[in-house]
Amino acid sequence: MSFRASILSLYPQMFPGHLGESLAGRALERGDWELDTVQIRDFATDRHRSVDDTPAGGGAGMVLRPDVLAAAIDHASPQGDERPRLLMSPRGRPLTQERVRELARGPGAVIVCGRFEGIDQRVIDARALEEVSVGDYVLSGGEPAALTLLDAVVRLLPGVMGNAASGEFESFETGLLEHPHYTRPQDWEERAIPDVLLSGNHAKIEAWRRAQSEELTRQQRPDLLQAKKKPPQG
Ligand code: SAH
């Protein structure tokens, strides 16, 4: 059974978006993963098909109604659906490569894309939505966040990228950022490829890459060095 993503959104036409192109797009055509979208507005019950209302307690903006969203969730993810139910949200736990890997091993995901000020808290609680953030900044809607999450997951699915995403030496997989890459031409604008990479000495190359990774991580993301247990030194 392939990985199946169900997206709940007020803008389902944003999907598959960039995931319809390149490797992810070809994998989608082959059926290596599946995508379906649910228009939340289809579950509105009033004449005006309204999906939002003013915030209880006052304040700016509008809030997605719990009854409409719950009906859409129950349609997309009926009882017995084993897939995790995610809500894209700046309040969520920041997405990590580790969580991406877990999701890629599973049956898929039901992904709710918020809009407006957010969604009624009761539907988050009642449908046990896992809030997931793609970073400490605020988007206007959950759709680009969902596309980002799916992009990260789909490239790990069997057959999508072949060995390229096996991931052992990619950024975050070792708790470090990846080393720099070079290719031909050997000299470019008076910048040469580091000699060690042309030496053919694989042990030396490996040691150089590891040192570069560590230095880069220290400079750019010292938090990673603290958060992750140190990989075995070699
Ligand atoms: N008022 C909210 C922001 C709402 S933004 C707050 O301050 O927390 C509207 C929608 O965009 C959210 O419901 C969510 O689905 C999506 N969104 C915004 N920023 C996001 C982020 N960093 N990660 C994931 N989803 C995000």
Side-chain angles (χ1 to χ4, degrees):
M1 216 184 59
S2 60
F3 182 95
R4 185 160 75 93
S6 297
I7 307 287
L8 287 79
S9 166
L10 289 167
Y11 300 94
Q13 66 277 16
M14 287 188 176
F15 298 86
H18 74 275
L19 297 179
E21 304 288 333
S22 189
L23 294 174
R26 285 202 286 281
L28 187 58
E29 273 169 27
R30 282 198 303 268
D32 287 347
W33 67 290
E34 292 168 58
L35 177 71
D36 46 75
T37 56
V38 174
Q39 168 57 271
I40 296 169
R41 198 174 294 282
D42 289 347
F43 296 84
T45 51
D46 65 349
R47 242 167 11 101
H48 303 291
R49 298 221 297 156
S50 49
V51 293
D52 56 335
D53 211 328
T54 53
M62 299 293 273
V63 177
L64 255 170
R65 289 168 54 136
D67 52 346
V68 177
L69 186 54
I73 292 171
D74 295 344
H75 169 82
S77 182
Q79 283 237 326
D81 187 349
E82 303 272 288
R83 295 175 297 166
R85 288 191 288 260
L86 313 179
L87 168 64
M88 303 319 297
S89 161
R91 296 191 330 195
R93 211 177 290 160
L95 186 63
T96 60
Q97 188 64 15
E98 194 182 352
R99 184 72 183 109
V100 165
R101 228 168 235 296
E102 254 169 41
L103 289 168
R105 277 195 297 266
V110 178
I111 306 177
V112 178
C113 301
R115 279 273 155 180
F116 321 120
E117 275 309 297
I119 78 174
D120 190 298
Q121 182 62 39
R122 291 169 295 176
V123 71
I124 302 178
D125 300 337
R127 294 298 180 271
L129 302 182
E130 172 190 339
E131 293 183 76
V132 179
S133 167
V134 294
D136 290 344
Y137 43 82
V138 179
L139 301 167
S140 53
E143 290 80 7
L147 285 166
T148 296
L149 178 145
L150 277 179
D151 184 305
V153 169
V154 165
R155 66 190 287 281
L156 297 182
L157 298 175
V160 175
M161 284 190 70
N163 287 334
S166 67
E168 276 170 64
F169 300 107
E170 284 191 312
S171 288
F172 309 114
E173 296 289 359
T174 57
L176 298 172
L177 302 178
E178 200 179 42
H179 55 78
H181 298 288
Y182 298 88
T183 186
R184 278 181 282 273
Q186 205 163 309
D187 285 295
W188 175 74
E189 292 193 350
E190 288 167 34
R191 294 162 189 270
I193 294 176
D195 285 338
V196 57
L197 296 179
L198 308 172
S199 69
N201 182 330
H202 292 291
K204 261 191 167 164
I205 291 171
E206 207 39 61
W208 181 87
R209 285 179 168 166
R210 162 69 63 173
Q212 290 282 317
S213 276
E214 284 172 357
E215 184 50 30
L216 207 59
T217 310
R218 237 188 314 279
Q219 281 172 18
Q220 310 263 58
R221 294 293 304 277
D223 56 300
L224 291 178
L225 294 173
Q226 256 148 27
K228 283 261 176 190
K229 55 181 187 308
K230 280 233 162 166
Q233 304 289 306

